[in-house]
Coordinates of all heavy atoms in Angstrom, one line a residue:
M1 N 163.5 89.6 14.6 CA 163.6 90.9 15.0 C 164.7 91.1 16.0 O 165.2 90.2 16.6 CB 162.3 91.4 15.8 CG 161.2 91.8 14.8 SD 159.9 92.5 15.9 CE 159.9 94.2 15.3
D2 N 165.1 92.3 16.1 CA 166.3 92.7 17.0 C 165.8 92.6 18.5 O 164.8 93.0 18.8 CB 166.8 94.0 16.7 CG 168.0 94.5 17.4 OD1 168.7 93.6 17.9 OD2 168.2 95.7 17.6
P3 N 166.6 92.0 19.3 CA 166.3 91.8 20.8 C 166.1 93.1 21.5 O 165.2 93.3 22.4 CB 167.4 90.9 21.3 CG 168.1 90.4 20.3 CD 167.8 91.2 19.0
A4 N 166.8 94.2 21.0 CA 166.6 95.5 21.7 C 165.3 96.1 21.4 O 164.6 96.7 22.3 CB 167.7 96.3 21.2
V5 N 164.9 95.8 20.1 CA 163.5 96.4 19.8 C 162.4 95.6 20.5 O 161.4 96.2 20.9 CB 163.3 96.4 18.2 CG1 161.9 96.7 17.9 CG2 164.3 97.1 17.5
M6 N 162.6 94.3 20.7 CA 161.6 93.4 21.3 C 161.6 93.8 22.9 O 160.4 93.9 23.4 CB 162.0 91.9 21.4 CG 161.8 91.3 19.9 SD 160.1 91.3 19.5 CE 159.6 90.0 20.6
N7 N 162.6 94.2 23.4 CA 162.6 94.7 24.7 C 161.9 96.0 25.0 O 161.3 96.4 26.0 CB 164.1 94.8 25.3 CG 164.7 93.5 25.6 OD1 164.1 92.4 25.8 ND2 166.0 93.5 25.6
L8 N 161.9 96.8 23.9 CA 161.2 98.2 24.0 C 159.7 97.9 23.7 O 158.8 98.5 24.3 CB 161.7 99.1 22.9 CG 163.0 99.6 23.3 CD1 163.6 100.5 22.1 CD2 163.1 100.5 24.4
I9 N 159.4 97.0 22.7 CA 158.0 96.9 22.3 C 157.2 96.0 23.4 O 156.0 96.2 23.6 CB 157.9 96.2 21.0 CG1 158.5 97.2 20.0 CG2 156.5 95.7 20.5 CD1 158.5 96.6 18.5
E10 N 157.8 95.1 24.0 CA 157.1 94.1 24.8 C 156.3 94.7 26.0 O 155.1 94.5 26.2 CB 158.2 93.1 25.4 CG 157.5 92.0 26.2 CD 158.5 91.0 26.8 OE1 159.6 90.8 26.1 OE2 158.3 90.3 27.7
P11 N 156.9 95.7 26.8 CA 156.1 96.3 27.8 C 155.0 97.1 27.2 O 153.9 97.2 27.8 CB 157.1 97.3 28.5 CG 158.4 96.9 28.1 CD 158.3 96.1 26.8
V12 N 155.3 97.8 26.1 CA 154.1 98.6 25.4 C 152.9 97.6 25.1 O 151.8 97.9 25.3 CB 154.6 99.3 24.2 CG1 153.5 100.0 23.5 CG2 155.7 100.4 24.7
V13 N 153.2 96.5 24.6 CA 152.2 95.5 24.1 C 151.4 95.0 25.3 O 150.3 94.9 25.3 CB 152.9 94.4 23.2 CG1 151.9 93.3 23.1 CG2 153.4 95.0 22.0
V14 N 152.2 94.7 26.3 CA 151.6 94.2 27.6 C 150.7 95.3 28.2 O 149.5 94.9 28.6 CB 152.8 93.7 28.6 CG1 152.1 93.4 29.9 CG2 153.4 92.5 28.1
F15 N 151.2 96.4 28.1 CA 150.4 97.6 28.8 C 149.2 97.8 27.9 O 148.1 98.0 28.6 CB 151.3 98.9 28.8 CG 150.5 100.0 29.5 CD1 150.2 100.1 30.8 CD2 150.0 101.1 28.6 CE1 149.5 101.2 31.4 CE2 149.4 102.1 29.1 CZ 149.2 102.1 30.5
A16 N 149.3 97.8 26.7 CA 148.1 98.0 25.7 C 147.1 96.8 26.0 O 145.9 97.1 26.0 CB 148.6 98.1 24.4
T17 N 147.5 95.7 26.1 CA 146.7 94.5 26.4 C 145.9 94.8 27.6 O 144.8 94.5 27.7 CB 147.5 93.2 26.3 OG1 148.2 93.1 25.1 CG2 146.5 92.0 26.4
L18 N 146.6 94.9 28.7 CA 146.0 95.2 30.1 C 145.0 96.3 30.0 O 143.9 96.3 30.6 CB 147.0 95.4 31.1 CG 147.9 94.2 31.5 CD1 149.0 94.6 32.4 CD2 147.0 93.0 31.9
L19 N 145.4 97.5 29.3 CA 144.5 98.6 29.2 C 143.3 98.2 28.4 O 142.1 98.6 28.9 CB 145.3 99.8 28.5 CG 144.5 101.1 28.5 CD1 144.3 101.6 30.0 CD2 145.3 102.1 27.7
G20 N 143.4 97.5 27.4 CA 142.2 97.0 26.6 C 141.3 96.1 27.4 O 140.1 96.3 27.3
M21 N 141.9 95.2 28.1 CA 141.1 94.3 28.9 C 140.3 95.1 30.0 O 139.1 94.8 30.3 CB 142.0 93.2 29.6 CG 142.4 92.2 28.6 SD 143.6 91.0 29.2 CE 142.7 90.4 30.6
A22 N 141.0 96.1 30.7 CA 140.3 96.8 31.7 C 139.2 97.6 31.2 O 138.2 97.7 31.7 CB 141.4 97.7 32.4
F23 N 139.5 98.2 29.9 CA 138.4 99.0 29.4 C 137.2 98.1 29.0 O 136.0 98.4 29.0 CB 138.9 99.7 28.1 CG 138.0 100.6 27.5 CD1 137.5 101.8 28.0 CD2 137.4 100.3 26.2 CE1 136.7 102.6 27.5 CE2 136.4 101.1 25.6 CZ 136.1 102.3 26.2
G24 N 137.5 96.9 28.4 CA 136.5 95.9 28.1 C 135.6 95.5 29.4 O 134.4 95.4 29.4
V25 N 136.3 95.2 30.4 CA 135.7 94.9 31.7 C 134.7 96.0 32.2 O 133.6 95.9 32.6 CB 136.6 94.4 32.7 CG1 136.0 94.3 34.1 CG2 137.2 93.1 32.4
K26 N 135.3 97.2 32.1 CA 134.5 98.4 32.5 C 133.2 98.5 31.6 O 132.2 98.8 32.2 CB 135.4 99.7 32.3 CG 134.6 100.9 32.8 CD 135.1 102.2 32.1 CE 134.4 103.4 32.4 NZ 133.1 103.5 31.8
I27 N 133.4 98.4 30.4 CA 132.2 98.5 29.5 C 131.2 97.3 29.9 O 129.9 97.6 29.9 CB 132.6 98.4 28.0 CG1 133.3 99.8 27.7 CG2 131.3 98.2 27.2 CD1 133.7 99.7 26.2
L28 N 131.7 96.1 30.1 CA 130.8 95.1 30.4 C 130.0 95.2 31.8 O 128.9 94.9 31.8 CB 131.5 93.7 30.4 CG 131.9 93.2 29.1 CD1 132.7 91.9 29.2 CD2 130.7 92.8 28.2
V29 N 130.7 95.6 32.7 CA 130.2 95.7 34.2 C 129.6 97.0 34.4 O 128.5 97.0 34.9 CB 131.4 95.3 35.2 CG1 130.8 95.4 36.5 CG2 131.9 94.0 34.9
W30 N 130.3 98.1 34.2 CA 129.7 99.5 34.6 C 129.1 100.2 33.5 O 128.4 101.2 33.7 CB 130.8 100.3 35.2 CG 131.3 99.8 36.5 CD1 130.7 99.8 37.8 CD2 132.6 99.1 36.7 NE1 131.5 99.2 38.7 CE2 132.6 98.7 38.1 CE3 133.7 98.6 36.0 CZ2 133.6 98.1 38.8 CZ3 134.7 98.0 36.7 CH2 134.7 97.7 37.9
G31 N 129.2 99.9 32.3 CA 128.7 100.6 31.2 C 127.3 100.0 30.8 O 126.5 99.4 31.7
K32 N 126.9 100.1 29.7 CA 125.6 99.5 29.2 C 125.7 98.2 28.5 O 125.0 97.9 27.6 CB 124.9 100.6 28.3 CG 124.6 101.9 29.1 CD 123.7 102.7 28.2 CE 123.5 104.0 29.1 NZ 122.3 104.7 28.7
G33 N 126.7 97.5 28.9 CA 126.9 96.2 28.4 C 126.0 95.1 29.0 O 125.1 95.4 29.7
P34 N 126.2 93.8 28.4 CA 125.2 92.8 28.8 C 125.1 92.5 30.4 O 124.1 92.1 30.8 CB 125.7 91.6 28.0 CG 127.1 91.9 27.7 CD 127.3 93.4 27.7
I35 N 126.1 92.7 31.0 CA 126.2 92.3 32.5 C 125.4 93.4 33.2 O 124.6 93.1 34.1 CB 127.6 92.3 33.1 CG1 128.3 91.1 32.4 CG2 127.6 92.1 34.6 CD1 129.7 90.9 32.9
R36 N 125.3 94.7 32.7 CA 124.6 95.8 33.3 C 123.1 95.4 33.1 O 122.2 95.7 33.9 CB 125.0 97.0 32.6 CG 124.2 98.2 33.2 CD 124.6 98.5 34.6 NE 124.0 99.9 34.9 CZ 124.5 100.5 35.9 NH1 125.3 100.1 36.7 NH2 123.9 101.7 36.2
R37 N 122.7 94.8 31.9 CA 121.3 94.6 31.7 C 120.8 93.4 32.6 O 119.6 93.4 32.8 CB 121.2 94.3 30.3 CG 121.2 95.5 29.4 CD 120.9 95.1 28.0 NE 122.1 95.6 27.2 CZ 122.7 94.8 26.3 NH1 122.0 93.7 25.8 NH2 123.8 95.2 25.7
V38 N 121.7 92.5 33.0 CA 121.3 91.4 33.8 C 121.0 91.8 35.2 O 120.0 91.4 35.8 CB 122.3 90.2 33.7 CG1 122.1 89.2 34.7 CG2 122.5 89.7 32.3
R39 N 121.8 92.7 35.7 CA 121.7 93.2 37.1 C 120.6 94.1 37.3 O 120.3 94.8 36.4 CB 123.0 94.0 37.6 CG 124.2 93.0 37.8 CD 125.3 93.7 38.4 NE 125.6 95.1 37.7 CZ 126.5 95.9 37.9 NH1 127.4 95.5 38.7 NH2 126.7 96.9 37.0
P40 N 119.7 93.9 38.3 CA 118.6 94.8 38.5 C 119.2 96.3 38.9 O 120.3 96.4 39.4 CB 118.0 94.3 39.8 CG 118.9 93.5 40.5 CD 119.9 92.9 39.4
P41 N 118.4 97.2 38.6 CA 118.8 98.7 38.9 C 119.0 98.8 40.4 O 118.1 98.2 41.2 CB 117.8 99.4 38.3 CG 116.7 98.6 38.0 CD 117.2 97.3 37.9
T42 N 120.0 99.6 40.9 CA 120.1 99.7 42.3 C 118.9 100.4 42.9 O 118.5 100.2 44.0 CB 121.3 100.5 42.6 OG1 121.3 101.7 41.8 CG2 122.5 99.7 42.2
E43 N 118.4 101.5 42.3 CA 117.2 102.2 42.7 C 116.1 102.2 41.7 O 116.3 102.9 40.7 CB 117.6 103.7 43.1 CG 118.5 103.6 44.4 CD 118.6 105.1 44.9 OE1 117.7 105.9 44.6 OE2 119.6 105.3 45.4
A44 N 115.1 101.6 41.9 CA 113.9 101.6 40.9 C 112.9 102.9 41.4 O 112.7 102.9 42.6 CB 113.2 100.4 40.9
P45 N 112.6 103.6 40.5 CA 111.6 104.7 40.9 C 110.3 104.1 41.3 O 109.7 103.3 40.8 CB 111.5 105.6 39.6 CG 111.9 104.6 38.5 CD 112.8 103.6 39.1
G46 N 110.0 104.6 42.5 CA 108.6 104.3 43.1 C 108.6 102.9 43.7 O 107.5 102.4 44.1
L47 N 109.8 102.3 43.9 CA 109.8 100.9 44.5 C 109.2 100.9 46.0 O 108.5 100.0 46.4 CB 111.2 100.4 44.4 CG 111.3 98.9 44.9 CD1 110.5 98.0 44.1 CD2 112.8 98.4 44.9
E48 N 109.7 101.9 46.7 CA 109.3 101.9 48.1 C 107.8 102.1 48.2 O 107.1 101.5 49.1 CB 109.9 103.1 48.8 CG 111.4 102.8 49.0 CD 111.7 101.6 50.0 OE1 110.9 101.3 50.9 OE2 112.7 100.9 49.7
Q49 N 107.2 102.9 47.4 CA 105.8 103.2 47.4 C 105.0 102.0 46.9 O 104.0 101.6 47.5 CB 105.5 104.5 46.4 CG 104.0 104.8 46.4 CD 103.7 105.9 45.3 OE1 104.6 106.3 44.6 NE2 102.5 106.4 45.4
R50 N 105.4 101.3 45.9 CA 104.8 100.1 45.5 C 104.9 99.0 46.5 O 103.8 98.3 46.8 CB 105.4 99.5 44.1 CG 105.1 100.4 42.9 CD 105.9 100.0 41.8 NE 105.6 98.6 41.5 CZ 106.4 97.8 40.7 NH1 107.5 98.3 40.1 NH2 106.0 96.5 40.4
L51 N 106.0 98.8 47.3 CA 106.1 97.9 48.3 C 105.1 98.3 49.5 O 104.6 97.5 50.1 CB 107.6 97.8 48.9 CG 108.5 97.1 48.0 CD1 109.9 97.2 48.5 CD2 108.1 95.6 47.8
G52 N 105.1 99.5 49.7 CA 104.1 100.0 50.8 C 102.6 99.6 50.4 O 101.9 99.1 51.2
S53 N 102.3 99.9 49.3 CA 100.8 99.5 48.9 C 100.6 98.1 48.8 O 99.5 97.6 49.1 CB 100.6 100.2 47.4 OG 101.4 99.5 46.4
I54 N 101.6 97.3 48.4 CA 101.4 95.8 48.4 C 101.4 95.4 49.9 O 100.6 94.4 50.2 CB 102.7 95.1 47.7 CG1 102.6 95.4 46.3 CG2 102.8 93.7 48.1 CD1 103.8 94.9 45.4
E55 N 102.1 95.9 50.8 CA 102.0 95.5 52.2 C 100.6 95.9 52.7 O 100.0 95.1 53.5 CB 103.1 96.2 53.1 CG 104.5 95.6 52.7 CD 105.5 96.3 53.5 OE1 105.2 97.4 54.1 OE2 106.7 95.8 53.4
E56 N 100.1 97.1 52.4 CA 98.8 97.4 52.8 C 97.7 96.5 52.3 O 96.7 96.1 53.1 CB 98.4 98.9 52.4 CG 99.3 100.0 53.0 CD 99.0 101.3 52.5 OE1 98.0 101.5 51.8 OE2 99.7 102.2 52.8
R57 N 97.8 96.3 51.0 CA 96.8 95.2 50.5 C 96.9 93.9 51.1 O 95.9 93.2 51.4 CB 97.1 95.1 49.0 CG 96.6 96.4 48.2 CD 96.7 96.2 46.7 NE 97.3 95.1 46.2 CZ 98.1 95.2 45.1 NH1 98.1 96.3 44.4 NH2 98.7 94.1 44.6
L58 N 98.0 93.4 51.4 CA 98.3 92.2 52.1 C 97.6 92.2 53.5 O 97.0 91.1 53.9 CB 99.7 91.8 52.2 CG 100.1 90.5 52.8 CD1 99.6 89.3 51.9 CD2 101.6 90.3 53.0
E59 N 97.8 93.3 54.2 CA 97.2 93.4 55.6 C 95.7 93.4 55.6 O 95.0 92.8 56.2 CB 97.7 94.6 56.2 CG 99.2 94.5 56.7 CD 99.7 95.9 57.2 OE1 99.0 96.8 57.3 OE2 100.9 95.9 57.5
R60 N 95.1 94.2 54.4 CA 93.7 94.2 54.3 C 93.2 92.9 53.9 O 92.1 92.4 54.5 CB 93.3 95.1 53.3 CG 93.4 96.5 53.7 CD 92.7 97.5 52.7 NE 93.2 97.2 51.4 CZ 93.8 98.1 50.5 NH1 93.7 99.5 50.9 NH2 94.2 97.8 49.4
T61 N 94.0 92.0 53.0 CA 93.5 90.7 52.7 C 93.5 89.8 53.9 O 92.6 89.1 54.1 CB 94.4 90.2 51.5 OG1 94.4 91.1 50.4 CG2 94.0 88.8 51.1
A62 N 94.5 89.9 54.7 CA 94.6 89.1 55.9 C 93.5 89.4 56.8 O 92.9 88.5 57.4 CB 95.9 89.2 56.6
A63 N 93.1 90.6 57.0 CA 92.0 91.0 57.9 C 90.7 90.4 57.3 O 89.9 90.1 58.2 CB 92.0 92.5 58.0
M64 N 90.6 90.5 56.0 CA 89.3 90.0 55.4 C 89.2 88.5 55.5 O 88.1 87.9 55.8 CB 89.2 90.4 53.9 CG 88.9 91.9 53.6 SD 88.6 92.4 51.9 CE 89.5 91.3 51.0
I65 N 90.3 87.8 55.4 CA 90.2 86.4 55.5 C 90.0 86.0 57.0 O 89.2 85.1 57.2 CB 91.6 85.7 55.2 CG1 91.8 85.9 53.6 CG2 91.8 84.4 55.6 CD1 93.2 85.4 53.2
G66 N 90.5 86.8 58.0 CA 90.2 86.5 59.4 C 88.8 86.9 59.6 O 88.1 85.9 60.3
H67 N 88.2 87.9 59.0 CA 86.7 88.2 59.2 C 85.9 86.9 58.6 O 84.8 86.5 59.2 CB 86.4 89.5 58.5 CG 84.9 89.9 58.6 ND1 84.5 90.2 60.0 CD2 84.0 90.0 57.7 CE1 83.1 90.5 59.7 NE2 82.9 90.4 58.4
V68 N 86.2 86.6 57.4 CA 85.5 85.5 56.8 C 85.5 84.2 57.6 O 84.7 83.5 57.8 CB 86.0 85.2 55.3 CG1 85.4 84.0 54.7 CG2 85.5 86.4 54.4
A69 N 86.7 83.9 58.2 CA 86.9 82.7 59.0 C 86.0 82.8 60.3 O 85.4 81.8 60.7 CB 88.5 82.6 59.3
D70 N 85.9 83.9 60.8 CA 85.0 84.2 62.0 C 83.6 83.9 61.5 O 82.8 83.2 62.4 CB 85.1 85.6 62.5 CG 86.5 85.8 63.2 OD1 87.3 84.8 63.5 OD2 86.9 87.0 63.4
Q71 N 83.2 84.4 60.4 CA 81.8 84.2 60.0 C 81.6 82.7 59.7 O 80.5 82.2 60.1 CB 81.6 85.0 58.6 CG 81.4 86.5 58.9 CD 81.2 87.2 57.5 OE1 81.6 86.7 56.5 NE2 80.6 88.4 57.6
V72 N 82.6 82.0 59.1 CA 82.3 80.5 58.9 C 82.3 79.8 60.2 O 81.3 78.9 60.3 CB 83.5 80.0 58.0 CG1 83.4 78.6 57.9 CG2 83.4 80.6 56.6
A73 N 83.0 80.1 61.2 CA 83.0 79.5 62.4 C 81.6 79.8 63.1 O 80.9 78.8 63.7 CB 84.1 80.0 63.5
D74 N 81.1 81.0 63.0 CA 79.7 81.4 63.5 C 78.6 80.7 62.9 O 77.7 80.0 63.5 CB 79.5 83.0 63.5 CG 78.1 83.3 63.9 OD1 77.9 82.9 65.2 OD2 77.4 84.1 63.4
V75 N 78.7 80.4 61.5 CA 77.7 79.6 60.7 C 77.8 78.2 61.1 O 76.8 77.5 61.3 CB 77.9 80.0 59.2 CG1 77.1 79.0 58.4 CG2 77.5 81.3 58.8
D76 N 79.0 77.6 61.3 CA 79.1 76.3 61.8 C 78.5 76.1 63.0 O 77.8 75.1 63.3 CB 80.7 76.0 61.8 CG 80.9 74.6 62.0 OD1 80.2 73.6 61.3 OD2 81.8 74.2 62.8
E77 N 78.7 77.0 64.0 CA 78.1 76.8 65.4 C 76.6 76.9 65.2 O 75.9 76.0 65.9 CB 78.6 78.0 66.4 CG 80.0 77.8 66.8 CD 80.3 79.1 67.6 OE1 79.5 79.7 68.2 OE2 81.7 79.3 67.7
R78 N 76.0 77.7 64.4 CA 74.5 77.8 64.3 C 74.0 76.6 63.7 O 73.0 76.1 64.1 CB 74.2 79.0 63.5 CG 74.4 80.3 64.2 CD 74.2 81.5 63.2 NE 74.5 82.8 64.0 CZ 73.8 83.9 63.9 NH1 72.6 83.9 63.1 NH2 74.1 85.0 64.5
L79 N 74.7 76.1 62.7 CA 74.3 74.8 62.1 C 74.3 73.6 63.0 O 73.4 72.9 63.0 CB 75.2 74.4 60.8 CG 74.9 73.2 60.0 CD1 73.5 73.4 59.4 CD2 76.0 73.0 59.1
E80 N 75.4 73.5 63.8 CA 75.4 72.4 64.8 C 74.2 72.6 65.9 O 73.5 71.7 66.3 CB 76.7 72.4 65.5 CG 77.8 72.0 64.7 CD 79.2 72.0 65.4 OE1 79.3 72.3 66.6 OE2 80.2 71.8 64.7
F81 N 73.9 73.8 66.3 CA 72.9 74.1 67.2 C 71.5 73.7 66.5 O 70.6 73.1 67.2 CB 72.8 75.6 67.7 CG 71.8 76.0 68.5 CD1 71.7 75.6 69.8 CD2 70.6 76.6 68.0 CE1 70.6 75.8 70.6 CE2 69.6 76.9 68.7 CZ 69.6 76.6 70.1
T82 N 71.3 74.1 65.3 CA 70.1 73.8 64.6 C 69.9 72.2 64.4 O 68.9 71.7 64.8 CB 70.0 74.4 63.2 OG1 70.2 75.9 63.4 CG2 68.8 74.2 62.5
E83 N 71.0 71.5 64.2 CA 70.9 70.1 64.1 C 70.6 69.4 65.4 O 69.8 68.5 65.6 CB 72.3 69.5 63.6 CG 72.5 69.8 62.0 CD 73.9 69.4 61.7 OE1 74.8 69.2 62.6 OE2 74.2 69.2 60.4
R84 N 71.2 70.0 66.5 CA 70.8 69.4 67.8 C 69.3 69.7 68.2 O 68.7 68.8 68.7 CB 71.7 70.1 68.9 CG 73.1 69.5 68.9 CD 73.9 70.0 70.2 NE 73.8 71.4 70.5 CZ 74.7 72.3 70.1 NH1 75.7 71.8 69.4 NH2 74.5 73.6 70.5
M85 N 68.8 70.9 67.9 CA 67.4 71.2 68.2 C 66.5 70.2 67.4 O 65.5 69.8 67.8 CB 67.2 72.7 67.9 CG 67.9 73.7 68.8 SD 67.6 73.4 70.5 CE 65.9 74.0 70.6
L86 N 66.8 70.0 66.1 CA 66.0 69.2 65.3 C 66.0 67.7 65.7 O 65.0 67.2 65.8 CB 66.4 69.3 63.7 CG 66.0 70.6 63.0 CD1 66.7 70.6 61.7 CD2 64.6 70.8 62.9
S87 N 67.0 67.3 66.1 CA 67.2 66.0 66.5 C 66.5 65.8 67.9 O 65.9 64.8 68.2 CB 68.6 65.4 66.7 OG 69.3 66.2 67.8
R88 N 66.5 66.8 68.7 CA 65.8 66.7 70.0 C 64.4 66.8 69.8 O 63.5 66.1 70.4 CB 66.3 67.9 70.9 CG 65.5 67.8 72.2 CD 65.9 69.1 73.1 NE 67.3 69.2 73.4 CZ 67.9 70.2 73.9 NH1 67.2 71.3 74.3 NH2 69.1 70.1 74.2
Q89 N 63.9 67.6 68.9 CA 62.5 67.8 68.5 C 61.9 66.4 68.1 O 60.9 66.0 68.3 CB 62.2 68.9 67.5 CG 60.8 69.1 67.2 CD 60.6 70.1 66.1 OE1 61.7 70.6 65.6 NE2 59.4 70.6 65.8
R90 N 62.7 65.7 67.3 CA 62.3 64.4 66.7 C 62.2 63.4 67.7 O 61.3 62.5 67.8 CB 63.3 63.9 65.6 CG 63.1 64.7 64.4 CD 64.0 64.1 63.2 NE 64.0 65.1 62.2 CZ 65.1 65.4 61.4 NH1 66.2 65.0 61.9 NH2 65.0 66.2 60.5
M91 N 63.0 63.5 68.8 CA 63.1 62.5 69.9 C 61.9 62.8 70.8 O 61.3 61.8 71.4 CB 64.3 62.5 70.7 CG 65.6 62.2 69.9 SD 67.0 62.5 70.8 CE 67.4 61.0 71.5
D92 N 61.5 64.0 71.0 CA 60.3 64.3 71.8 C 59.0 64.2 71.3 O 58.0 64.1 72.0 CB 60.5 65.8 72.1 CG 61.6 66.2 73.0 OD1 62.2 65.2 73.7 OD2 62.1 67.4 73.3
E93 N 58.8 64.1 70.0 CA 57.6 63.9 69.3 C 57.0 62.5 69.7 O 57.8 61.5 69.6 CB 57.7 64.0 67.7 CG 57.9 65.5 67.3 CD 58.1 65.5 65.8 OE1 58.0 64.4 65.1 OE2 58.1 66.6 65.3
P94 N 55.8 62.5 70.0 CA 55.2 61.1 70.3 C 55.0 60.4 69.0 O 54.8 60.9 68.0 CB 53.8 61.3 70.9 CG 53.5 62.8 70.6 CD 54.8 63.6 70.3
K95 N 55.2 59.2 69.1 CA 55.0 58.3 67.9 C 53.5 58.0 67.6 O 52.8 57.8 68.5 CB 55.8 57.1 68.0 CG 57.3 57.3 68.2 CD 58.1 56.0 67.9 CE 59.4 56.3 68.3 NZ 60.6 56.4 67.6
A96 N 53.2 58.1 66.5 CA 51.7 57.8 66.0 C 51.4 56.4 66.3 O 52.2 55.4 66.1 CB 51.5 58.3 64.6
L97 N 50.2 56.2 67.0 CA 49.8 54.8 67.2 C 49.3 54.3 66.0 O 48.6 54.9 65.2 CB 48.8 54.8 68.3 CG 49.2 55.3 69.7 CD1 48.1 55.5 70.7 CD2 50.3 54.3 70.2
E98 N 49.5 53.0 65.8 CA 48.9 52.4 64.7 C 47.5 52.0 65.0 O 47.2 51.6 66.1 CB 49.8 51.0 64.3 CG 51.1 51.5 63.9 CD 52.0 50.0 63.7 OE1 51.3 49.1 63.4 OE2 53.2 50.2 63.6
R99 N 46.7 52.1 64.0 CA 45.3 51.8 64.2 C 45.2 50.3 64.0 O 45.7 49.7 63.0 CB 44.5 52.5 63.0 CG 44.2 53.9 63.4 CD 43.3 54.6 62.5 NE 42.7 53.7 61.6 CZ 41.9 54.1 60.6 NH1 41.7 55.4 60.4 NH2 41.3 53.4 59.7
P100 N 44.4 49.7 64.9 CA 44.2 48.3 64.7 C 43.2 48.1 63.5 O 42.3 48.8 63.3 CB 43.6 47.8 66.0 CG 43.1 49.0 66.7 CD 43.9 50.1 66.2
D101 N 43.3 47.0 62.9 CA 42.4 46.7 61.7 C 41.1 46.2 62.4 O 41.1 45.2 63.0 CB 43.1 45.7 60.8 CG 44.2 46.2 60.1 OD1 44.2 47.4 59.8 OD2 45.1 45.4 59.8
V102 N 40.2 46.9 62.1 CA 38.8 46.5 62.6 C 37.9 46.0 61.4 O 37.9 46.2 60.5 CB 38.1 47.7 63.3 CG1 37.1 47.2 64.4 CG2 39.0 48.8 63.8

């Protein structure tokens, strides 16, 4: 080919290649291309409301766990008290005398 024609075509080819690459990147990243599908949406509808309800449920669950832990501690104290009372009662009972064989 003639060098003068090559000098005219070369910038056009480079510009077209760069333009095509820029368009391809735009479609991949900002369009509905595969990269767009991988990234999470910037604003999900109802996300704040869902997070709020999850936080409320978590707080209620933590409160219920605290209440159950208090109940278990109370039952444990009562059980220990009952065991002490039973062991004291056994110690205070007089032992039965054995009958002599007559």
Side-chain angles (χ1 to χ4, degrees):
M1 272 189 120
D2 185 23
V5 174
M6 285 297 286
N7 287 338
L8 289 175
I9 294 178
E10 186 176 337
V12 174
V13 170
V14 169
F15 180 73
T17 304
L18 290 175
L19 186 64
M21 287 175 55
F23 185 70
V25 168
K26 183 212 174 283
I27 288 176
L28 286 175
V29 176
W30 290 286
K32 295 188 180 205
I35 294 177
R36 177 69 168 199
R37 283 184 246 140
V38 171
R39 289 188 310 188
T42 54
E43 287 189 32
L47 183 62
E48 292 295 326
Q49 182 181 7
R50 288 176 56 201
L51 284 176
S53 69
I54 289 172
E55 288 174 352
E56 288 176 15
R57 289 189 341 221
L58 183 62
E59 289 173 3
R60 283 192 308 234
T61 303
M64 287 188 330
I65 289 173
H67 181 68
V68 169
D70 291 343
Q71 287 179 337
V72 168
D74 184 47
V75 169
D76 188 42
E77 288 177 21
R78 290 175 184 224
L79 178 63
E80 288 177 9
F81 176 77
T82 305
E83 288 173 343
R84 285 195 308 268
M85 294 303 291
L86 286 173
S87 66
R88 183 184 296 169
Q89 183 180 5
R90 287 186 190 132
M91 295 170 105
D92 292 343
E93 288 179 356
K95 299 201 188 240
L97 297 174
E98 293 182 19
R99 286 186 4 183
D101 290 332
V102 206

